[in-house]
Amino acid sequence: MAKRVAVILSGCGVYDGTEVHEASAILVHLSRAGAKVQMFAPNADQMHVVNHCEGKPTEEKRNILQESARIARGEVTDLAKLDVSAFDAAIIPGGFGVAKNLSDWAVKNKDCAVQPNVEKVIKDFHKAGKPLGMCCIAPILAGKILPGCELTVGQDKECDKWPYAQTAGALKDLGCKHVNKDVEEVHVDAKNKLVTTSAFMCNAPIHKVYDGIGVMVKETLKLA
């Protein structure tokens, strides 16, 4: 029987929403695996809107759900309506929207709060023993909500290849076990049914990011 997977988006665009290439890779790999996908996003305003040509915030306001519809080709549902019993797994792509719209990690780092509907969904999937897949910066959500979990955001030593490695240190400070992995690898926390991969936390060729996400999707579905 086809696995039913909820994909949780945070807008559209790397600097203020979902990383589009990561979302697309997740959807392609899920499609190839024969999974049935439904996309969700919070029905709330983004933290801010960023001009992606300049990398600077604008005065514009945008809605997370409406922006996520750009990726979902219109087929996206308010996250508040997600019924965990209707799904076998959930996957969350990265992008700064995770740290700005699904939480306020971008402002408060490890002292952040997770958006209430996001927190509820993660806790409900975990309590039901259903797997969670997360890539790029998204594992910070698990780090806040699942104390002591094992995860990866890539490497813990900053360099040109790994410009966001300080995130691993913040996750360790939260009591998580961070496992160093390359971009094409994943870490599977079997106890918590949590599968994570670094994706664009790494300055890597896009095909390597795509392949790593493919492993994450495969391992997530294996646990479902």
Side-chain angles (χ1 to χ4, degrees), residues 3-206:
K3 302 294 184 184
R4 302 158 300 171
V5 181
V7 174
I8 300 170
L9 303 176
S10 60
C12 180
V14 59
Y15 297 133
D16 58 13
T18 301
E19 212 298 321
V20 176
H21 299 293
E22 291 178 11
S24 179
I26 287 166
L27 295 173
V28 170
H29 287 296
L30 285 171
S31 175
R32 184 171 285 132
K36 291 185 176 179
V37 175
Q38 186 171 351
M39 284 172 269
F40 294 88
N43 185 8
D45 285 340
Q46 294 182 181
M47 183 183 109
H48 61 194
V49 176
V50 174
N51 178 328
H52 277 57
C53 290
E54 299 176 354
K56 297 177 182 177
T58 71
E59 295 301 313
E60 194 177 349
K61 290 190 181 299
R62 295 191 184 186
N63 176 278
I64 304 166
L65 183 66
Q66 290 175 12
E67 289 300 293
S68 297
R70 296 174 182 273
I71 293 174
R73 297 172 63 87
E75 297 293 324
V76 65
T77 303
D78 185 346
L79 185 62
K81 297 178 180 176
L82 195 161
D83 177 4
V84 172
S85 68
F87 295 93
D88 300 301
I91 294 180
I92 307 177
F96 278 95
V98 169
K100 294 178 177 180
N101 302 331
L102 302 190
S103 72
D104 56 4
W105 180 279
V107 178
K108 298 182 179 176
N109 201 263
K110 66 186 180 188
D111 297 319
C112 76
V114 177
Q115 202 266 359
N117 286 327
V118 177
E119 181 172 4
K120 180 179 185 303
V121 164
I122 291 173
K123 284 181 174 178
D124 286 352
F125 270 90
H126 185 254
K127 184 177 179 181
K130 296 180 176 183
L132 294 156
M134 302 182 186
C135 66
C136 194
I137 191 66
I140 59 112
L141 301 171
K144 282 295 294 186
I145 294 167
L146 307 176
C149 67
E150 299 177 4
L151 41 69
T152 190
V153 288
Q155 301 288 312
D156 59 5
K157 288 187 172 56
E158 194 166 320
C159 60
D160 288 345
K161 185 179 178 182
W162 298 99
Y164 308 108
Q166 75 277 6
T167 305
L171 289 167
K172 291 176 188 177
D173 290 343
L174 285 172
C176 303
K177 178 182 178 182
H178 182 268
V179 183
N180 284 343
K181 293 285 184 179
D182 207 348
V183 67
E184 294 166 290
E185 300 177 313
V186 306
H187 182 69
V188 180
D189 178 348
K191 178 183 175 184
N192 287 298
K193 290 196 172 182
L194 175 65
V195 184
T196 51
T197 190
S198 61
F200 280 110
M201 296 294 272
C202 181
N203 276 331
I206 192 169

